[in-house]
Each structure stands twice: as C-alpha cells, then as structure tokens.
Amino acid sequence: MASSPEHPAKKHWYMLTLVGKDRSGIVAHVTHALYEGGCNLGETSMMRLGTSFTIMMMVEHAGNVKSLQNLLQTEADSLGLHLHIDHIEGGLHQHHEPDVRISVYGADRAGIVAQVTQALSEAGLDILDLASDVGGTESEPIYIMRIEGQAKEGIAALQSALDIVKQQGVDAHLSAIDTLVG
C-alpha cells in the first residue's frame, strides 16, 4: 500500500554512523540531507577524535536501509565519509543516569583501558560513557580517562577495585554523582 495522508508510511528506526576526516560543515550537510529526505532525528552523538570526525545518529525513516543509504550516500561520498546503517528498535526516552564518575591518569601504555575497565566491571560498574585522551608530551605521554556509570554493587566495591588498580601505577579518583530524578 502506498502512503497517503490517511495512511502514512510506517517509519522505522535506524542507527546511522559516519566516520571520516574532520572538516567544516559535516553536521550541516548530513542533517540537511536527512531533513530533505523526510527523516527525524532521535539521539545523536558526534565527536572529533584526533583528526577524524564520527557521528552516531538514531534516524527515523519511512523506507528501508537501502533507501536511507541512497538518500545519504552521495553526501557521504562528497564529504569523504564512510557510511554504515543498521535497523534498530529505537528506544527514545530510556535514559540511564550515572551515579559515579571516575577519572584515571597513568603513563600511556598498552592495556591500561582493559585493566581499569575489567576491574571496574568485576566490581559492578555499568559504564554509560567513557572518554579518553592522551596528554603529556610525545616522550612522556599520559593516558587520561573519564568514565561515568552506574555502581550496581555500590561505590565501596568500585573504590576497592580502584585501590588495587592504583597499586599498578595508575592514579584514579571516584566521586558520587547526585542525580535529581523525579
């Protein structure tokens, strides 16, 4: 059945990811193409990592993956971006609020993220957001990691895990986040 004002086409949710070298205008070009194609945006995350730019967008679209790809492929190619699209269930308004924030600093070395996140996971941390950066100098790089999450087994369990990690040359700080939900 074709869509009409009485029978609008059923829309579906897709997760759209774009990755490529950063340049001015990426967000404006991509969101304009989606708007012109009749799409709605849900939650999005966009960030610059090094010299690359990445976008993750929940997009509501009346067509299938192929039609959404056709809608964006020319724009993605012109911007030098790699496009990937997955069908998803949607799920707006299902936010999880973090109750802890953890900052980690240490000499940059292979395995630091795995070591810290494994210890925190075993202590009951559900990671909701993780951002990292490399500071310091080329000769003495420092790995910096900021984590927010939910302490499923309590803050004391996480602090005990961090105390063990600290014995391996990593500096870590944990603080509770007061959430005002309700």
Side-chain angles (χ1 to χ4, degrees):
M1 172 188 300
S3 66
S4 66
E6 298 82 31
H7 302 284
K10 182 177 180 187
K11 293 190 173 186
H12 305 278
W13 282 101
Y14 299 94
M15 183 62 71
L16 181 154
T17 57
L18 290 155
V19 178
K21 187 171 176 66
D22 190 25
R23 60 184 282 186
S24 295
I26 291 175
V27 175
H29 286 280
V30 170
T31 56
H32 182 75
L34 291 169
Y35 171 73
E36 289 294 319
C39 299
N40 290 323
L41 297 183
E43 298 171 14
T44 66
S45 181
M46 307 174 198
M47 67 175 46
R48 187 175 199 271
L49 298 171
T51 59
S52 298
F53 190 77
T54 185
I55 299 174
M56 289 180 58
M57 294 178 158
M58 292 175 62
V59 176
E60 189 180 35
H61 175 61
N64 58 23
V65 170
K66 184 70 176 165
S67 67
L68 183 56
Q69 185 159 2
N70 289 340
L71 180 71
L72 285 174
Q73 193 63 59
T74 300
E75 199 69 50
D77 290 345
S78 73
L79 295 167
L81 301 171
H82 299 281
L83 171 64
H84 180 83
I85 301 170
D86 290 304
H87 184 265
I88 61 172
E89 293 182 14
L92 295 176
H93 314 291
Q94 298 181 26
H95 301 277
H96 296 260
E97 296 297 326
D99 58 8
V100 293
R101 179 175 298 124
I102 299 164
S103 300
V104 177
Y105 305 87
D108 188 24
R109 58 178 166 76
I112 188 170
V113 176
Q115 175 192 10
V116 172
T117 57
Q118 181 70 34
L120 292 171
S121 175
E122 290 172 0
L125 181 66
D126 183 11
I127 295 175
L128 301 175
D129 190 29
L130 186 154
S132 65
D133 200 354
V134 179
T137 63
E138 280 193 42
S139 61
E140 294 184 35
I142 298 171
Y143 200 81
I144 304 162
M145 187 167 32
R146 291 171 290 279
I147 303 170
E148 290 186 351
Q150 292 181 329
K152 301 290 188 184
E153 296 179 23
I155 289 178
L158 295 177
Q159 189 59 59
S160 294
L162 288 177
D163 289 342
I164 293 169
V165 168
K166 286 176 169 179
Q167 294 171 7
Q168 299 170 13
V170 175
D171 189 18
H173 303 276
L174 181 150
S175 59
I177 299 174
D178 290 327
T179 56
L180 300 173
V181 177

